[in-house]
Amino acid sequence: MDRREFLAGAAATGLGLTMPYVTQSQPFARVPKRAGGDMSQFADKPMETVRVGFIGVGARGSGHVEQMLLLEGVEVTAVCDLYKDWAERSAKACTDKGRKAPTLYTDGPQHWREMVQRDDVDIVVIATPWAEHVPMAVGAMKAGKHAFLEVPAATTVEGCWELVDTAEETKRHCMMMENVNYGRDELLLLNLCQKGVLGELLHAEAAYIHDLRWQMKEIERGTGSWRTLEYTRRNGNLYPTHGLGPVAHCLDVNRGDRFDYLSSVSSNARARAIYAEKEFPEGHPRRDLKFQCGDINTTIVRTVKGRTIMVQWDEQLPRPYTRHNLVQGTKGVWGGFPNRVVVEGRSKDTDRWEQGEGLKAWYDEFDHPLWTKVAKDPANQGGHGGMDFVMLWRIVHNLREGKPMDQSVYDAAAWSVVGCLSEWSVANRGQSVDVPDFSRGGWEQARPVDLTP
């Protein structure tokens, strides 16, 4: 039985609703036949001008439009959104910059299919609800466009494989735009790891802890209008990649190592129901929602080479924001939120953190050259502390230079699949579950990520 036959059969028997994945044999971890060539180091021919079409220009997508307009060698040729006023807002951002107004596609949820067929679109940037990421990215790649999609790339194992198969078959980039990989602190930590300062790397901790209960008040439009419903249907780590992506780069995941298996547990679901009762009047539909997703999820991943990664997720409890961003090696450790470091032979005392003003010398020596070059660009108008601009600058730079993307389709699949596999593990009392090798063995030869500008 291949993976598609299994998933079809599971859905037919009801397993697709209550237990999305099997218990013991785990056939979804098998490696299907490759659809095309390896995409680890894929690079297309250089582009003199990068012509961009956008699908989804709400809170996130509209920011991408505005920052893309600041980059040399970029043309925004088309914009698609369900809401005409949002599309017109992004069109106005183009004309306000003295650019030609893009063609708008606002005639319903399938109008994007017409947009991706345009000859003057080279790449498609997708910032839509999670469920739309896979069909839109696949449609764009099959139309000959490179796909750049928001996080997570997919919410099912099957969706992850579909992205991989399509990218290999069409020879198109499929990059999940994990902006946190381009944050200053994350880049500094990558530099420390790649220079061997922390020694042999053994363990990492990653998280997305962010109180987003306020999004429940977005009813008609906005992230909360659709994301709130995700917590009623799923139970696991629904948003793993902000913390996981950066430490995966540090540990050379898909570039000399890979995720092997994981185990996951969730707490009870309490906070959103309490919030709904407090913030919405009696009879409001938000009060009637039955939340299934635990308020905090903890997932442990082990790699083939024996490293461990703790990944936590919580978008509803009253707690300060953190991504953890910690990597431990045989010589020392760097941790984030707040930033702190201890390195044997460099730190005065391995029992006491260097932090605050004591980190200045570390930044002076180990700030990543990509950050020092791009974050100080006068065109950089921020976006999550500057990381958004650095990410988009890097995408455009690599396309114009004909270089591989920093994050391959295998990264998009491996980082995202932690979410859906966590659901299976939670439903099965924390049992470990194998992580598919989306690279089909290519990880053993792939080179570590090189973010040198």
Side-chain angles (χ1 to χ4, degrees):
M1 180 183 292
D2 68 22
R3 58 191 173 88
R4 287 184 172 84
E5 288 172 342
F6 166 75
L7 291 170
T13 59
L15 286 174
L17 296 177
T18 57
M19 293 175 62
Y21 314 112
V22 296
T23 52
Q24 300 299 326
S25 59
Q26 303 174 4
F28 51 88
R30 289 172 52 201
V31 179
K33 183 179 179 181
R34 186 181 293 282
D38 182 83
M39 295 293 288
S40 298
Q41 301 296 323
F42 171 75
D44 200 13
K45 61 182 182 297
M47 300 180 186
E48 182 177 349
T49 302
V50 179
R51 300 171 298 179
V52 191
F54 289 87
I55 308 176
V57 286
R60 187 74 178 136
S62 61
H64 288 326
V65 173
E66 292 172 3
Q67 297 221 337
M68 278 286 199
L69 291 169
L70 302 174
L71 298 173
E72 183 180 351
V74 174
E75 290 181 8
V76 177
T77 56
V79 171
C80 178
D81 199 278
L82 289 175
Y83 302 109
K84 187 176 181 179
D85 57 326
W86 282 2
E88 290 175 338
R89 176 182 62 187
S90 287
K92 184 177 184 300
C94 295
T95 56
D96 285 349
K97 291 289 185 182
R99 308 290 188 90
K100 181 181 177 181
T103 303
L104 303 186
Y105 292 80
T106 59
D107 294 339
Q110 299 301 315
H111 208 191
W112 64 269
R113 296 184 183 277
E114 183 177 332
M115 189 200 83
V116 300
Q117 299 298 327
R118 292 175 63 103
D119 292 335
D120 62 350
V121 170
D122 302 309
I123 74 170
V124 177
V125 174
I126 300 164
T128 59
W130 301 337
E132 302 299 327
H133 290 181
V134 170
M136 289 176 173
V138 167
M141 286 187 283
K142 287 185 175 181
K145 322 304 181 189
H146 300 296
F148 295 84
L149 56 160
E150 270 298 333
V151 300
T155 58
T156 66
V157 179
E158 179 70 8
C160 291
W161 277 116
E162 192 172 0
L163 292 176
V164 169
D165 288 347
T166 306
E168 291 181 344
E169 182 181 348
T170 61
K171 288 292 181 288
R172 297 291 86 187
H173 291 298
C174 181
M175 174 177 162
M176 182 175 66
M177 298 189 296
E178 183 41 78
N179 61 327
V180 177
N181 281 61
Y182 300 90
R184 183 185 187 185
D185 299 328
E186 285 77 8
L187 286 170
L188 182 145
L189 177 53
L190 177 64
N191 205 20
L192 289 175
C193 294
Q194 292 188 330
K195 289 181 179 297
V197 175
L198 302 183
E200 179 188 350
L201 305 182
L202 301 174
H203 174 74
E205 297 179 10
Y208 185 69
I209 308 292
H210 192 184
D211 185 356
L212 296 176
R213 288 173 294 174
W214 59 270
Q215 289 183 344
M216 293 174 64
K217 294 183 177 180
E218 296 179 326
I219 308 297
E220 300 298 329
R221 299 193 193 186
T223 305
S225 65
W226 56 268
R227 190 153 156 174
T228 300
L229 302 179
E230 294 282 346
Y231 312 115
T232 69
R233 296 190 285 253
R234 303 167 59 197
N235 185 10
N237 184 330
L238 306 195
Y239 204 67
T241 72
H242 278 336
L244 182 59
V247 300
H249 267 182
C250 290
L251 299 183
D252 291 334
V253 171
N254 292 332
R255 296 167 172 83
D257 199 357
R258 72 171 183 87
F259 299 148
D260 190 5
Y261 61 91
L262 64 80
S263 178
S264 184
V265 293
S266 289
S267 73
N268 292 325
R270 295 287 185 267
R272 287 186 177 271
I274 294 170
Y275 184 85
E277 185 175 355
K278 176 183 176 183
E279 297 294 331
F280 297 102
E282 196 164 338
H284 194 284
R286 285 291 196 246
R287 277 193 166 206
D288 295 332
L289 295 176
K290 305 299 182 184
F291 295 101
Q292 304 297 322
C293 197
D295 286 347
I296 186 165
N297 174 274
T298 301
T299 299
I300 303 295
V301 184
R302 184 175 168 91
T303 74
V304 168
K305 289 193 171 181
R307 286 98 163 242
T308 55
I309 308 171
M310 182 190 75
V311 190
Q312 287 190 320
W313 171 83
D314 161 19
E315 292 180 357
Q316 40 274 324
L317 293 173
R319 179 175 171 179
Y321 181 95
T322 181
R323 296 191 299 272
H324 290 349
N325 194 37
L326 182 146
V327 175
Q328 174 73 62
T330 55
K331 292 182 180 179
V333 58
W334 173 282
F337 301 88
N339 291 321
R340 57 209 189 278
V341 66
V342 166
V343 174
E344 203 165 44
R346 282 179 172 262
S347 302
K348 294 180 180 179
D349 185 351
T350 56
D351 287 332
R352 189 173 306 219
W353 290 108
E354 292 183 62
Q355 53 189 333
E357 290 298 319
L359 294 179
K360 184 179 183 304
W362 290 89
Y363 281 95
D364 290 343
E365 184 174 355
F366 294 108
D367 244 343
H368 197 284
L370 177 62
W371 180 266
T372 58
K373 175 181 175 64
V374 182
K376 298 175 183 178
D377 188 314
N380 188 349
Q381 296 186 11
H384 292 96
M387 64 176 67
D388 291 355
F389 181 87
V390 175
M391 176 185 70
L392 295 176
W393 182 94
R394 182 71 175 176
I395 289 171
V396 171
H397 174 268
N398 287 7
L399 288 170
R400 297 186 74 198
E401 295 288 324
K403 295 181 177 180
M405 291 297 109
D406 301 329
Q407 300 168 34
S408 72
V409 67
Y410 307 124
D411 296 322
W415 303 353
S416 297
V417 84
V418 169
C420 26
L421 294 183
S422 75
E423 295 179 63
W424 182 92
S425 183
V426 168
N428 287 277
R429 296 174 57 84
Q431 289 185 49
S432 65
V433 54
D434 294 342
V435 179
D437 176 10
F438 293 104
S439 74
R440 299 174 172 97
W443 61 273
E444 296 183 85
Q445 288 79 40
R447 299 187 297 273
V449 66
D450 182 1
L451 297 183
T452 305

